[in-house]
Amino acid sequence: MEKDLVEFIAKSLVDDSDSVVVNMIEGEKSTIIELKVADDDIGKVIGKHGRIAKAVRTILSASANKTGKRFVLEILD
């Protein structure tokens, strides 16, 4: 569910939605969500001063409160 959420948000933000790749790495207490976008779109996902990335992390945190797991968003370049 969280993977789909990150993918939906990222595809809504970028110009090249076909290049959006979301990968999940499961751990015991936390899950790492890796987000890869085209080089031209990396700024659109991060935002000015990291505001958009912080907002996506906040949404993941709210979603994690329901499941009790911790989600970490990594934006790969």
Side-chain angles (χ1 to χ4, degrees):
M1 180 178 123
E2 286 78 8
K3 178 182 177 182
D4 298 333
L5 179 64
V6 171
E7 187 173 352
F8 175 77
I9 292 170
K11 285 185 176 185
S12 300
L13 292 170
V14 299
D15 291 332
D16 185 9
S17 62
D18 294 334
S19 68
V20 173
V21 177
V22 180
N23 187 25
M24 285 184 72
I25 302 169
E26 295 278 342
E28 280 186 36
K29 294 183 180 179
S30 64
T31 302
I32 298 172
I33 299 177
E34 295 179 335
L35 175 61
K36 177 92 172 117
V37 297
D39 291 338
D40 295 341
D41 291 330
I42 193 99
K44 293 175 184 157
V45 173
I46 295 174
K48 283 188 180 178
H49 304 288
R51 287 188 181 132
I52 293 174
K54 185 178 179 190
V56 174
R57 288 183 176 112
T58 302
I59 293 169
L60 280 175
S61 175
S63 174
N65 284 339
K66 286 197 231 176
T67 62
K69 280 193 109 179
R70 183 171 168 258
F71 290 96
V72 178
L73 176 66
E74 290 187 1
I75 301 171
L76 306 175
D77 49 328

